[in-house]
Every structure is written in structure tokens, then in C-alpha cells.
Amino acid sequence: MNAPLPEHIRRALETVTLDDKYSLDYGRAFMSGVQALVKLPMLQRLRDAQQGKNTAGFISGYRGSPLGGYDQALVKASPYLKAQNIVFQPGVNEELAATALWGTQQLGFAPAGTQKFDGVFGIWYGKGPGVDRCSDVFKHANMAGTTPWGGVIAVAGDDHISKSSTAAHQSDHIFKACGFPVFFPSTVQEILDLGLHAFALSRYAGVWSGLKTIQEIVESSATAMIDPDRVQIQIPTDFEMPPGGVHIRWPDHALDQEARLFDTKWYAALAYIRANRLNYTALQGPNDRLGIMASGKAWNDTRQALLDLGLDDDACRALGIRLHKVGVVWPLEAQLTREFATGLQEILVVEEKRQVIEYQLKEELYNWRPDVRPNVVGKFDEGEGDFSGGEWARPNPTANTLLRANADLTPALIARAIAKRLRRLGLLPAGADLTARIDAQLAILEAKQNALNVIEVAGVKGADRQPWFCSGCPHNTSTVVPEGSRAMAGIGCHFMATWMDRATVGFTQMGGEGVPWTGQQPFSTEKHVFANLGDGTYFHSGLLAVRQSIAAGVNITYKILYNDAVAMTGGQQVGERPEGHSVVQIAQSMRAEGARKITIVTDEPEKYAHIHGLPEGIAIQHRDTLDAVQREFRELEGTTVIIYDQTCATEKRRRRKRGSLVDPAKRVVINELVCEGCGD
Ligand SMILES: Cc1ncc(C[n+]2csc(CCOP(=O)(O)OP(=O)(O)O)c2C)c(N)n1
Ligand code: SF4
């Protein structure tokens, strides 16, 4: 029998709802990191109202893991957002979304008296590749600046291990190149807390704030404290603003903007970071020798690594380990860093991917007196012998890797690096109890790692299953090419064709589909290729790829895979507008662009009897004829288009559950003993 709940918990549970995270202004609520990003603008608006300001919010961006579900979460929360004057308008792509956010800071350019609010604060969101494609608008918008009651945060979803991406990415470097201070929260609570600081910094210093998220943080869930007063913002008292201030204005010459950014805004941002101690020393003792700096996920992993070594806070203090948590990884604030570094013999920087903190730390410490300057290690260990210079001075420092830049870091890797440095500093003398305990812990970690390796190496059944199309997936038929032809892959679920036996070779970034052929055909005897292009990607940017091929006059057939969903990111509707984007609209655009021939291939040709508006001369074919259609198209000169129209099977299942699609009367039963798992 279950024991009865304590009275206070029972009473608290009676009033708990799943909507608490959005409906509560004060209190504790359970939420995911993505939901915290939905709550953040509501808290900002509440804080502004408490200060007597009537502000509004604007959110735009483009989906992609680990922020694949942010748009859907925003739609679900729309009543709460609307009540707080927060508008969510998905972008056609990341770049145009960022441009719209730039617009929110330009409301003051409009005729006097037309502004409905004291300011509009904004959130841009996108996956790492979306950050990459935005650098032009990011630079312009950041140079131009923000407004005192507006401010913009750009939220990046990074995939350090290429788990769901065609290239691993780390947005810190792009944000830095665009001049955005980069926040890196470690927890769901910090998404709220540092998020509010990111808005405040953006308003104060006239810059956009970057906020980096990765799957382990933004897709985790936790109870978080909702309280608009929780973050007590300190406006710097040690920084003098120039007479004209730092905010957006018109007219504004490019070099004036640059001077404002380089000479003032970054220093204002640093003053903000300093005043609010966004980087802080979390643990220190009387005789510290080894300092460890980390941020975001690496901070959590470092804490875990120390525990795995048997080093709790007291043990760290006794041993001489000092810990510094970095909330803003760029620009690295110097005074807080100096306070942390003073008295240390060595600093170990723990950060995933390429160095951000480490290089800044080295630049900060370089001119310190040699007798007080700590040694710095991070990506690489000290080399053997006498090397004058940094890592580039060695022929190839990778043999000396301490904390790898490729893939991610684990607590075990970090534990090994910490132990190595402690030993090198003479803090783990041979024969000491502590040394024996740490060695024993390392042996346990090693054994665990070896056990995992055995699973990988032995290929234990099911451990390394290759992803495949869902049963009934349209891509299973549509991505097949006739014998003797090959296809180029595009971004989306159909990318999986690259590891199937269907002559699909090479791929591009989202929106470049088929364009490698423009650089190949003049140098090849191959006459023609097919290119796969998803409907979501077509709407995002792929239309321009087709335009490029038409402009270059190459022989290529685009297969526009109309599965009526942006399937890979959760089945969002194609086309960022209420009515979506139809096959007819695509056919009309392709005709207007100058595609030589267009044919629609579908599993339901009969439905076209009731569809109007198709341009003249476009044939509708049953999908059974796909091979013949492709054989005809590969002989044609110029750029041709096959629109393959069949709905995503998973989307169909969703629609049936919601009652918006009829359940088929006919069922297929799969005999598992004979099924070859072809997916169709
Ligand atoms: C610039 C950029 N933004 C976002 C993504 C994330 N992303 C990967 S696949 C995909 C959806 C592709 O949808 P669609 O073209 O319709 O193909 P489907 O998955 O439906 O087959 C998105 C948004 C990305 N890879 N690159
Ligand atoms: S989600 Fe849809 S498009 Fe993606 S593999 Fe499954 S059925 Fe195919």
C-alpha cells in the first residue's frame, strides 16, 4: 500500500497544474529548458511593467535541434504570450527572422507618435547552422544597436557532437565574430536568470546578446523558481557613457557604428558583466594552487568529475583547487578573472570544442609578472622539452591533447585531465592516502569506459542501429533513382538516403541542394544528376538553389519532396504562414523561374481532379511510374522539376489521432518473419 502523502505536499499538489510554468508570476514550476525560453519573455515583460514601462516582445527564428520544438512550444503558449504583448512570428529562414528582429529596434525611426510601446524586446532562435547563415544581418544589427527598453537575445541551439546535424557546430565563435557577448547557461534555472541578464545587458550596452544552448541543458527539465525579482540587476557605476549614448539612431554612418561598438559598447558590456558578477569563483580555499574555469555543460561535467574523483568541496579546498564559473564566455571580463587567478600556480580551462575562454585567459595573463602569472592548460597539455610559443609552435600538438576539441567532453575525460594536472603540480604524492583513493576512482572510471568500448566494438545487437525511414515514408519511394543515375542529397529526413543503397552521393547545407552540380558539370562527361529537395527546405531557402541551377543552365532534375510537413523537426506545417504552401504554389513558382519541364508524381493522382490553379502542361502521374518519369527527365536539357507529392507517414498518424484524417479501411499486416524491413 502507498503511504499517504504529507499534508502540505498533498495540498500543494491539489493546486499544481501543467500550465504553472506559464501562468505563475511567482513560485516554483517544473519546466524544460525550451519552456524556460518561452517563459523568459513573459518574465521580462512583467519586470518592465513593475518599473512602469509598457513594453512588448517579438520572437522569430527558425527551427532546428536542439531548438526543434521551440516554435511548437510558443504556439502552445500563445494565450499567455498574447496576454503579455508578445508576438511570435516564425521566420521563413533564420536570416530573415534576424532581420525582423533588427526591425524591432528601429521603431524609433518611424514618424513620431506611431509607437505603441515604450520598447520592444526580442528573441531570435536558430540551430548552429542558422547562426552561421545569419552573420551578415547579425553584424549589421549589432553595429546599429538596440533601444533602452528593447534589447535582443539571439538563442543558438548547438550540437557539439553532430548528433542531429550534418556538421558539429559551436556558435560561440560566430557570435564573437559578430560582436555579441555570449552567455552560456548550465541549468534550466540559469536560462531564466542569465536570460534576464542578457536582456538587461543588451539594453544597457546597446549590443545583441548571444545565448548558447546545447541539448543537455535546453532539453533537460527541472523545477525552476519563477520570480521577476529574483535577478537583481546592477547598473555599472564605474562606466561612463559617451554623450550620445550607445543606442540605435538614424542617420548613422558605418564607421561611427563601428567606433561605437569597438570603443564603447563592448566595454559597457564588460562593465555590466563585472557589476553583476556574471562570472564568479564558486569555491576557494586558503592555499589554492590549481584553478579550474568552466561554463555551461562543461561546468556541470567538471563538478561531476571532481565528485567522481572523490573530491567534494572540502576535499577540493584542502587540496588547493579553486573553481570559477563563467556565465559570459566572451568577452571574458578581466577584473573577475584576475581576482580568480591571483595566487594560483596553474589554471585548467575546461570547455567543449575549440578554445574560447582559454585564448582570452592567456591574452589576459600574458603581461603579468612571471613570478605571479599562472600557467594555463586546456586543450593541450604542456609539451615535453622546451617550446617557446603556444600550441601552434609545435609541429602538431594533437599528440598532447588534454581535453579534446572534437566531439564533446565527459566527466571521465575531465577527471583524468584534473588528476594528471594535480599529479604534475605535485599535489598527489606517491604513497599518500588521497593519491591511492584518486587512483582507485580513476581505475573505476577506466573500467566503465572499457566496458562501453566493448559494447561498441562488439557491435552488440541493437546498440548501433542505423536510422531508417519510418514505415510508409514517402521518401522510401521518392529517393530511388533509375539505374545508371545518381542523386545529390538534401537536408531533411530524406538525407538518410545517403546511407541506403540508392546511388545518393554528397550533400549540401540547407538551401544549397543540387548546386554542387553547377561547379561540376563543366568539368565532367556525366550528363545529368538528380537532386533531392524537401518542401520545408524549399520554402526556407531551396528555391534559390533551383534558381542558381537554372541560371547556370545545368542539366539537373530537382525532386521536390512534398511530404506536407517539415518532418525532421517535428512535423511543422510547410510555409511560415497560416495557409501553408501548396504543390500548386510550388509548381507556379517553378514555372515562373523557368524550369524546363515540371511533372507531379503522387500516390493520389485522383485528388488533382479537384485542385485548380496548376500552370498549363503539367502532367500528374501515379507514383508507380516514377522510374519511367525519371528516365524521361534525365534525357532532357536544362533544369527540370519533379514534385513528388505524398504525405509524411508520421504526420498522417498524427492527423489520424487528431481526427483530421480518416483512418483507412484497408490494413496491411506485416509478417515479421518474411519482412525485409524496406520501410515502404
Ligand atoms: C540552416 C539550417 N536551419 C535548420 C536546420 C535544421 N533542419 C534540419 S532538417 C530540417 C527540416 C527539413 O525539412 P524538409 O525539407 O521538409 O524535409 P523533411 O524532413 O520533411 O524530409 C531542418 C529545419 C538546418 N539543418 N540548417
Ligand atoms: S518522419 Fe515522415 S518524412 Fe521523416 S522518415 Fe518518418 S515518415 Fe519519412
Side-chain angles (χ1 to χ4, degrees), residues 469-470 473 475 493 496 563 567 648-650:
F469 296 137
C470 310
C473 175
H475 297 328
C493 287
M496 289 187 278
N563 61 354
C648 157
T650 299

mmCIF file of all heavy atoms in Angstrom, residues 469-470 473 475 493 496 563 567 648-650, ligand 2:
data_model
loop_
_atom_site.group_PDB
_atom_site.id
_atom_site.type_symbol
_atom_site.label_atom_id
_atom_site.label_comp_id
_atom_site.label_asym_id
_atom_site.label_seq_id
_atom_site.Cartn_x
_atom_site.Cartn_y
_atom_site.Cartn_z
ATOM 1 N N PHE A 469 14.077 5.180 -42.719
ATOM 2 C CA PHE A 469 12.764 5.798 -42.924
ATOM 3 C C PHE A 469 11.710 5.076 -42.091
ATOM 4 O O PHE A 469 11.786 3.858 -41.903
ATOM 5 C CB PHE A 469 12.344 5.694 -44.392
ATOM 6 C CG PHE A 469 13.246 6.440 -45.343
ATOM 7 C CD1 PHE A 469 13.634 5.870 -46.545
ATOM 8 C CD2 PHE A 469 13.684 7.726 -45.049
ATOM 9 C CE1 PHE A 469 14.450 6.555 -47.433
ATOM 10 C CE2 PHE A 469 14.497 8.421 -45.934
ATOM 11 C CZ PHE A 469 14.887 7.831 -47.132
ATOM 12 N N CYS A 470 10.672 5.810 -41.651
ATOM 13 C CA CYS A 470 9.548 5.176 -40.956
ATOM 14 C C CYS A 470 8.793 4.287 -41.955
ATOM 15 O O CYS A 470 8.883 4.499 -43.168
ATOM 16 C CB CYS A 470 8.546 6.210 -40.460
ATOM 17 S SG CYS A 470 9.233 7.574 -39.548
ATOM 18 N N CYS A 473 7.000 5.701 -45.236
ATOM 19 C CA CYS A 473 7.599 7.011 -45.542
ATOM 20 C C CYS A 473 7.634 7.251 -47.054
ATOM 21 O O CYS A 473 8.098 6.400 -47.811
ATOM 22 C CB CYS A 473 9.021 7.062 -44.994
ATOM 23 S SG CYS A 473 9.871 8.582 -45.454
ATOM 24 N N HIS A 475 9.602 9.132 -48.673
ATOM 25 C CA HIS A 475 10.976 9.232 -49.186
ATOM 26 C C HIS A 475 11.511 7.870 -49.609
ATOM 27 O O HIS A 475 12.460 7.781 -50.376
ATOM 28 C CB HIS A 475 11.914 9.801 -48.117
ATOM 29 C CG HIS A 475 11.584 11.195 -47.684
ATOM 30 N ND1 HIS A 475 11.026 12.125 -48.521
ATOM 31 C CD2 HIS A 475 11.747 11.820 -46.482
ATOM 32 C CE1 HIS A 475 10.864 13.271 -47.860
ATOM 33 N NE2 HIS A 475 11.287 13.103 -46.618
ATOM 34 N N CYS A 493 14.666 14.552 -43.563
ATOM 35 C CA CYS A 493 14.629 13.099 -43.322
ATOM 36 C C CYS A 493 15.227 12.325 -44.493
ATOM 37 O O CYS A 493 15.854 11.282 -44.314
ATOM 38 C CB CYS A 493 13.190 12.638 -43.143
ATOM 39 S SG CYS A 493 12.452 13.105 -41.584
ATOM 40 N N MET A 496 18.703 10.503 -45.162
ATOM 41 C CA MET A 496 19.048 9.116 -44.830
ATOM 42 C C MET A 496 19.300 8.271 -46.077
ATOM 43 O O MET A 496 19.903 7.202 -45.995
ATOM 44 C CB MET A 496 17.940 8.488 -43.973
ATOM 45 C CG MET A 496 17.901 9.046 -42.564
ATOM 46 S SD MET A 496 16.740 8.178 -41.496
ATOM 47 C CE MET A 496 15.192 8.945 -41.919
ATOM 48 N N ASN A 563 6.249 16.283 -48.744
ATOM 49 C CA ASN A 563 5.637 15.358 -47.774
ATOM 50 C C ASN A 563 4.725 16.118 -46.822
ATOM 51 O O ASN A 563 4.320 15.612 -45.793
ATOM 52 C CB ASN A 563 6.699 14.540 -47.022
ATOM 53 C CG ASN A 563 7.647 15.420 -46.228
ATOM 54 O OD1 ASN A 563 7.590 16.643 -46.321
ATOM 55 N ND2 ASN A 563 8.517 14.814 -45.451
ATOM 56 N N ALA A 567 9.326 17.507 -41.644
ATOM 57 C CA ALA A 567 9.210 16.274 -40.863
ATOM 58 C C ALA A 567 10.315 16.116 -39.829
ATOM 59 O O ALA A 567 10.061 15.735 -38.689
ATOM 60 C CB ALA A 567 9.197 15.084 -41.811
ATOM 61 N N CYS A 648 3.975 12.681 -45.384
ATOM 62 C CA CYS A 648 4.819 12.009 -44.380
ATOM 63 C C CYS A 648 3.955 11.034 -43.569
ATOM 64 O O CYS A 648 2.873 11.394 -43.096
ATOM 65 C CB CYS A 648 5.415 13.085 -43.477
ATOM 66 S SG CYS A 648 5.936 12.550 -41.854
ATOM 67 N N ALA A 649 4.439 9.801 -43.407
ATOM 68 C CA ALA A 649 3.635 8.774 -42.735
ATOM 69 C C ALA A 649 3.407 9.113 -41.264
ATOM 70 O O ALA A 649 2.323 8.875 -40.717
ATOM 71 C CB ALA A 649 4.335 7.427 -42.862
ATOM 72 N N THR A 650 4.404 9.686 -40.635
ATOM 73 C CA THR A 650 4.255 10.032 -39.219
ATOM 74 C C THR A 650 3.238 11.157 -39.061
ATOM 75 O O THR A 650 2.434 11.170 -38.132
ATOM 76 C CB THR A 650 5.621 10.444 -38.641
ATOM 77 O OG1 THR A 650 6.477 9.325 -38.774
ATOM 78 C CG2 THR A 650 5.545 10.848 -37.195
HETATM 79 S S1 SF4 B 2 9.062 11.461 -40.159
HETATM 80 FE FE1 SF4 B 2 7.955 11.371 -42.115
HETATM 81 S S2 SF4 B 2 9.405 12.025 -43.689
HETATM 82 FE FE2 SF4 B 2 10.579 11.530 -41.830
HETATM 83 S S3 SF4 B 2 11.214 9.382 -42.102
HETATM 84 FE FE3 SF4 B 2 9.279 9.365 -40.950
HETATM 85 S S4 SF4 B 2 7.662 9.203 -42.497
HETATM 86 FE FE4 SF4 B 2 9.549 9.803 -43.548
#
